Amino acid sequence: MYEKIKLLLIEDNINQRLEFKTCIHFHKQFELYGETGSEKEALNILKNGYIDVIVLDLELQEGNGIQLAERMRELPIDQPFVAVTTNNCSESILQYLRKELKVDFIFQKANSSYTPNQVLFIIEKAFKYHKSKNANISEEKQLLRKSISQELQNIGFSIKYIGTEYITAALLLLSEIQDDYYQISKTIYPALATQYQTDPANIEKAIRMAIEHVWNNASLIQLQKHYPFDVNNKNGRPSNGEFISNMKIRLYGKSEKTQLYS
């Protein structure tokens, strides 16, 4: 017995949604996990269930398809295969979807060959390659997380502090971002707040408290060995942005441009 592909249908046009549901009935490989025409409801489904594939209508009345895709990419989930359906022919929008949001397929509704059956047929053929790629990415992330955790423990961070988890997540996030200029309060904290469903202020405080604990308790020799950076702070410990920026350099290599702003 093969494992069915769990599909989330995000489409606000009732007639098109019904047409997709009819086609799914005849594509036995698929299981319709959920359906909605709302950005907010779709994100809740993605947070609370394991989804293999989403079919996303870009033009939603209750929300925005692009914003939905952006927020989905920030969620701490196994990222699904994404097929976008749209009436938008803007090349800049399509390039953004492909290159930045890593959308797997884009189907133009205006094309004479477009049908829900065609969408499902192509997903069925391509999904196995997405599944294989996801498995490799997941394994690489686990190894990187383990390496980050070990570096932090060497400095003196304890896994019992939630701030240690937030620092680990921040460094994982930075491994995926190309740009070397950040405002930590506007980039890192909001992303982690979305991931952990809390407030950015709680992220900032937990990271600060974890750093304070280490600098109050670890020996100077231990700190100098595992954190070989000057501390440019009157408190005698690095700020959140300073620490994360320096740890990024230690983990991923020095970049003259790398700088995190508070």
Side-chain angles (χ1 to χ4, degrees), residues 32-250:
L32 183 59
Y33 184 91
E35 57 176 299
T36 181
S38 160
E39 174 191 343
K40 183 178 180 180
E41 189 174 332
L43 285 168
N44 285 333
I45 295 172
L46 285 162
K47 288 175 184 175
N48 297 312
Y50 182 85
I51 309 295
D52 295 310
V53 172
I54 68 169
V55 175
L56 171 61
D57 174 29
L58 213 58
E59 295 80 37
L60 297 173
Q61 291 184 3
E62 292 185 40
N64 179 294
I66 293 177
Q67 183 173 291
L68 192 160
E70 290 172 337
R71 295 178 66 186
M72 179 193 71
R73 290 307 189 201
E74 296 175 347
L75 294 176
I77 60 173
D78 287 336
Q79 291 292 324
F81 182 102
V82 180
V84 160
T85 64
T86 182
N87 289 308
N88 192 316
C89 297
S90 166
E91 187 58 33
S92 59
I93 292 294
L94 300 182
Q95 287 296 321
Y96 177 66
L97 290 169
R98 293 188 185 100
K99 293 184 178 181
E100 298 297 327
L101 298 183
K102 310 301 182 186
V103 166
D104 296 280
F105 272 93
I106 300 173
F107 297 89
Q108 292 281 358
K109 293 181 179 180
N111 288 349
S112 58
S113 62
Y114 172 82
T115 63
N117 192 60
Q118 177 208 40
V119 174
L120 294 174
F121 178 79
I122 292 177
I123 291 173
E124 183 184 329
K125 296 295 183 184
F127 177 70
K128 60 183 177 182
Y129 300 105
H130 171 83
K131 193 171 184 180
S132 174
K133 179 183 73 174
N134 258 9
N136 291 334
I137 291 173
S138 179
E139 185 176 347
E140 288 174 6
K141 279 192 172 182
Q142 287 301 321
L143 290 172
L144 181 54
R145 173 178 276 276
K146 186 175 180 180
S147 174
I148 293 169
S149 295
Q150 187 59 59
E151 287 285 347
L152 293 176
Q153 287 178 47
N154 288 342
I155 295 170
F157 284 86
S158 170
I159 59 173
K160 72 179 182 179
Y161 287 95
I162 187 63
T164 303
E165 169 64 22
Y166 292 159
I167 294 170
T168 302
L171 291 167
L172 277 172
L173 179 64
L174 289 173
S175 74
E176 300 173 357
I177 298 176
Q178 300 283 325
D179 192 357
D180 284 315
Y181 287 95
Y182 313 95
Q183 279 190 297
I184 191 169
S185 60
K186 293 184 178 180
T187 306
I188 305 300
Y189 295 156
L192 295 183
T194 299
Q195 181 175 336
Y196 289 94
Q197 298 183 329
T198 187
D199 190 86
N202 294 334
I203 301 290
E204 184 279 330
K205 182 179 179 182
I207 291 176
R208 175 164 42 84
M209 290 181 66
I211 293 172
E212 285 179 359
H213 177 80
V214 170
W215 258 258
N216 287 337
N217 292 279
S219 69
L220 184 59
I221 294 174
Q222 182 180 2
L223 290 174
Q224 289 177 336
K225 179 179 179 180
H226 297 289
Y227 184 78
F229 302 97
D230 293 331
V231 176
N232 301 314
N233 193 316
K234 63 182 180 181
N235 295 321
R237 59 169 177 79
S239 66
N240 292 6
E242 183 184 350
F243 179 78
I244 292 172
S245 179
N246 285 335
M247 287 305 297
K248 183 191 176 195
I249 293 170
R250 184 163 175 81

Side-chain angles (χ1 to χ4, degrees), residues 6-55:
K6 295 181 174 63
L7 185 147
L8 172 61
L9 178 61
I10 308 169
E11 168 64 69
D12 59 359
N13 184 294
I14 298 299
N15 291 332
Q16 291 190 29
R17 197 189 299 182
L18 181 60
E19 193 173 349
F20 262 107
K21 289 168 67 176
T22 301
C23 291
I24 289 170
H25 178 74
F26 292 101
H27 283 261
K28 300 300 183 183
Q29 299 87 343
F30 292 99
E31 172 190 336
L32 183 59
Y33 184 91
E35 57 176 299
T36 181
S38 160
E39 174 191 343
K40 183 178 180 180
E41 189 174 332
L43 285 168
N44 285 333
I45 295 172
L46 285 162
K47 288 175 184 175
N48 297 312
Y50 182 85
I51 309 295
D52 295 310
V53 172
I54 68 169
V55 175

